[in-house]
């Protein structure tokens, strides 16, 4: 005999519960990481897409370069990737401040999926019926699944070597900028923010067996850091471990109560940097969405002001180092 609970539940209820259980957990990337806001009116990119080591990159240079010296800046994007107009405009902003900016395609022409959001579906289906609720939950579940699959295609094991390959090629192509700046500067947003931390680490690496003296065998071999200073805004997928081994000055632009970069991860990272003597600064911005620091059209004056302030924070940090 069936239980009362089972006998009163419809198949639709089972489906809704399945969708709800998956969708309730926050996705590893939010809409601000995977979709562009409207581009500010009247602005168009000034750089060009080229190739470095067979990787597509967006390159933006100061108007006076190479007549006037400039420094080399690596810009690492969120999931919207290389062809995002807003990302290109962000690169142009740094170029206007005296940097040769190299922005690589981290995803090989495969930017993060951007399906219809739950909010958009809710606006279209505002009757509040069971079917509308189910559509919202199903959309959230589907998008989360697509993001998970996308992240599985773009792991650290794939992305970090790609960045290093571009970095080496950029150092050759713009050797004058590297010399003038005393190294490579780096800024990162959302997905790219974590990789600024990884590039700023010094890591021990194994020596090839039989290729070292006894003295060398007792001395750890290290590599990195690959940059001289970093600044990152509303990073995603960061863990406290990503701060271990950090050797370069770092500035963090953070969002208050950001599920993509939780407070406990940020504070744990601050503890690691403090204990290891890494120069750093952290500014937490209240009342703004994740992704706010990337160029985009906002009506809220508070967000506009915060976006301008975040840019100045990151720019000042790299200029001062």
């Amino acid at each position: 005999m069936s239980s009362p609970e089972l006998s009163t539940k419809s198949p639709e209820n089972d489906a809704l519960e399945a969708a709800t259980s998956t969708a309730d957990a926050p996705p590893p990337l939010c809409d601000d990481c995977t979709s562009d806001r409207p581009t500010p009116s009247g602005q168009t990119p000034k750089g060009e897409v080229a190739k470095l080591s067979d990787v597509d990159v967006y390159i933006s240079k100061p108007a006076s370069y190479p007549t006037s010296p400039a420094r080399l800046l690596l810009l690492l994007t969120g999931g919207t990737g290389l062809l995002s107009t807003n990302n290109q405009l962000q690169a142009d902003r740094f170029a206007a401040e005296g940097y040769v900016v190299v922005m690589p395609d981290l995803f090989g022409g495969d930017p993060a999926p951007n399906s219809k959001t739950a909010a958009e579906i809710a606006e279209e289906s505002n009757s509040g019926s069971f079917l509308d609720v189910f559509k919202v939950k199903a959309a959230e579940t589907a998008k989360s699944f697509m993001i998970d699959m996308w992240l599985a295609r773009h792991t650290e094991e794939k992305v970090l070597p790609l960045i290093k390959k571009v970095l080496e090629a950029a150092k050759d192509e713009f050797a004058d900028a590297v010399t003038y700046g005393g190294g490579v500067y780096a800024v990162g947003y959302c997905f790219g923010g974590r990789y600024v931390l990884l590039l700023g680490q010094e890591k021990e690496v194994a020596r090839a067996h039989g290729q070292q003296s006894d003295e060398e065998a007792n001395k750890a071999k290290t590599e990195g850091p690959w940059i001289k200073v970093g600044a990152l805004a509303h990073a995603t997928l960061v863990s406290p471990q990503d701060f271990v081994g950090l050797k370069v000055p770092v500035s963090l632009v953070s969002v208050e109560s950001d599920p993509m970069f939780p407070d406990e991860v940020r504070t744990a990272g601050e503890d690691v940097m403090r204990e290891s003597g890494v120069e750093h600064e952290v500014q937490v911005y209240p009342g703004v969405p994740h992704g706010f620091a990337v160029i985009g059209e906002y009506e809220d004056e508070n967000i506009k002001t915060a976006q301008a302030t975040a840019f100045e924070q990151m720019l000042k940090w790299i200029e001062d180092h």
Side-chain angles (χ1 to χ4, degrees):
M1 183 175 177
S2 62
S3 68
E5 180 184 5
L6 291 177
S7 63
T8 57
K9 289 173 67 176
S10 68
E12 291 83 0
N13 274 323
D14 292 335
L16 178 58
E17 285 187 5
T20 303
S21 63
T22 306
D24 282 345
L29 293 178
C30 69
D31 290 331
D32 293 295
C33 299
T34 60
S35 60
D36 277 327
R37 291 166 300 283
T39 300
S41 59
Q43 297 190 34
T44 56
K46 298 177 180 178
E48 62 178 359
V49 175
K51 282 190 181 290
L52 287 176
S53 282
D54 294 324
V55 177
D56 286 336
V57 296
Y58 178 79
I59 299 176
S60 188
K61 306 171 186 176
S64 59
Y65 179 81
T67 304
S68 299
R71 294 180 281 185
L72 181 62
L73 175 70
L74 180 71
L75 191 154
L76 305 177
T77 71
T80 50
L82 180 77
L83 299 181
S84 155
T85 298
N86 288 352
N87 288 339
Q88 293 180 358
L89 289 173
Q90 195 74 25
D92 291 350
R93 291 182 73 184
F94 284 103
E97 298 293 339
Y99 294 87
V100 173
V101 183
V102 174
M103 185 175 78
D105 181 0
L106 305 179
F107 316 116
D110 177 35
N114 178 32
S115 64
K116 207 174 260 191
T117 67
E120 289 172 323
I121 292 175
E123 287 179 5
E124 294 173 2
S125 306
N126 56 11
S127 67
S129 69
F130 168 85
L131 183 58
D132 295 336
V133 174
F134 180 80
K135 284 180 179 178
V136 170
K137 294 298 183 182
E140 290 173 337
T141 303
K143 182 166 186 177
S144 180
F145 175 76
M146 288 191 295
I147 291 293
D148 287 344
M149 295 299 291
W150 180 80
L151 288 171
R153 296 195 298 272
H154 303 292
T155 61
E156 177 185 333
E157 290 72 24
K158 293 181 180 179
V159 175
L160 191 56
L162 180 151
I163 294 173
K164 290 179 180 178
K165 182 168 73 169
V166 169
L167 194 51
E168 289 306 310
K171 288 164 68 175
D172 287 339
E173 182 75 16
F174 303 107
D176 59 326
V178 177
T179 300
Y180 180 70
V184 178
Y185 300 74
V187 296
Y189 297 85
C190 300
F191 182 97
R194 175 174 181 256
Y195 288 89
V196 171
L197 296 176
L198 299 184
L199 292 171
Q201 293 175 349
E202 180 182 80
K203 288 188 173 182
E204 290 188 9
V205 294
R207 293 179 181 273
H209 183 67
Q211 294 185 6
Q212 72 270 13
S213 65
D214 290 341
E215 182 179 348
E216 288 174 330
N218 294 324
K219 187 177 180 180
K221 181 182 178 182
T222 61
E223 63 177 17
W226 291 267
I227 57 175
K228 67 171 292 185
V229 59
L232 50 150
H234 36 70
T236 62
L237 306 172
V238 173
S239 74
Q241 187 65 27
D242 294 329
F243 293 89
V244 176
L246 195 60
K247 297 295 183 182
V248 303
V250 171
S251 175
L252 271 68
V253 169
S254 299
V255 175
E256 186 178 48
S257 303
D258 184 358
M260 304 299 112
F261 189 17
D263 292 344
E264 57 267 26
V265 173
R266 174 177 54 77
T267 55
E270 291 182 66
D271 290 341
V272 171
M273 291 188 289
R274 190 178 304 109
E275 290 168 6
S276 57
V278 173
E279 184 185 0
H280 64 280
E281 69 171 6
V282 178
Q283 180 66 45
V284 179
Y285 291 76
V288 296
H290 181 94
F292 80 98
V294 179
I295 270 185
E297 191 63 68
Y298 284 107
E299 294 182 2
D300 189 321
E301 289 300 326
N302 176 58
I303 299 177
K304 289 182 179 180
T305 300
Q307 186 180 99
T309 303
F311 178 75
E312 290 301 323
Q313 175 188 331
M314 298 172 77
L315 178 63
K316 186 176 188 305
W317 185 259
I318 60 176
E319 284 183 340
D320 289 348
H321 294 85

